[in-house]
């Protein structure tokens, strides 16, 4: 039960970060962007960059909520642990694919 609460707190943090980024207010949260020189920052459309990273954070939020739900199901005996294992594997693959897609999007569309 404690693990599910921690996962939901992490999901809430991802949700809040996603909202900040979606409205373009959290560009300082993007790793690497805040350490770029001003000349390199001018090469990127900040709005598109923030929205792309916002989508990644929102996906993590949703997947963490589902993982907390499945963890609760396992803890309460409603489902087998193998379901949680397979979802964890799908979670990992989904995040990796989204990181790749967002990275390509940022390099193709978010550059001016």
């Amino acid at each position: 039960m404690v693990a599910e609460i921690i996962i939901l707190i992490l999901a809430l943090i991802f949700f809040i970060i996603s909202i900040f980024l979606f409205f373009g207010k959290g560009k300082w949260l993007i790793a690497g962007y805040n350490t770029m020189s001003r000349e390199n920052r001018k090469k990127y459309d900040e709005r598109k960059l923030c929205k792309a990273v916002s989508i990644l954070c929102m996906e993590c939020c949703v997947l963490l909520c589902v993982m907390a739900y499945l963890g609760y199901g396992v803890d309460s005996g409603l489902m087998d642990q193998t379901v949680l294992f397979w979802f964890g594997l799908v979670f990992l693959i989904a995040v990796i694919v989204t990181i790749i897609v967002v990275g390509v999007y940022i390099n193709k569309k978010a550059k001016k």
Side-chain angles (χ1 to χ4, degrees):
M1 187 67 178
V2 174
E4 289 82 12
I5 293 172
I6 293 171
I7 291 172
L8 287 175
I9 290 170
L10 287 172
L12 179 64
I13 291 169
F14 272 110
F15 180 75
I16 293 168
I17 290 171
S18 176
I19 296 300
F20 274 116
L21 287 169
F22 185 77
F23 291 110
K25 303 293 181 188
K27 61 187 174 196
W28 56 273
L29 291 169
I30 300 173
Y33 182 74
N34 56 356
T35 60
M36 282 184 185
S37 65
R38 291 197 186 268
E39 296 84 34
N40 285 341
R41 284 187 196 176
K42 290 179 183 178
K43 295 178 184 177
Y44 290 92
D45 183 353
E46 290 179 355
R47 190 91 171 140
K48 288 181 181 178
L49 180 67
C50 286
K51 284 193 177 187
V53 177
S54 173
I55 290 170
L56 177 65
C57 289
M58 188 58 73
E59 178 192 11
C60 288
C61 171
V62 170
L63 290 174
L64 283 171
C65 287
V66 173
M67 187 172 275
Y69 172 74
L70 292 175
Y72 174 75
V74 169
D75 283 348
S76 61
L78 298 174
M79 67 180 71
D80 190 30
Q81 275 187 327
T82 57
V83 174
L84 190 59
F85 169 76
W86 288 110
F87 179 77
L89 190 60
V90 169
F91 176 89
L92 181 64
I93 292 169
V95 170
I96 290 171
V97 167
T98 305
I99 288 171
I100 292 169
V101 169
V102 166
V104 169
Y105 174 80
I106 288 170
N107 285 327
K108 299 282 184 182
K109 302 285 185 178
K111 280 193 175 180
K112 292 182 181 178

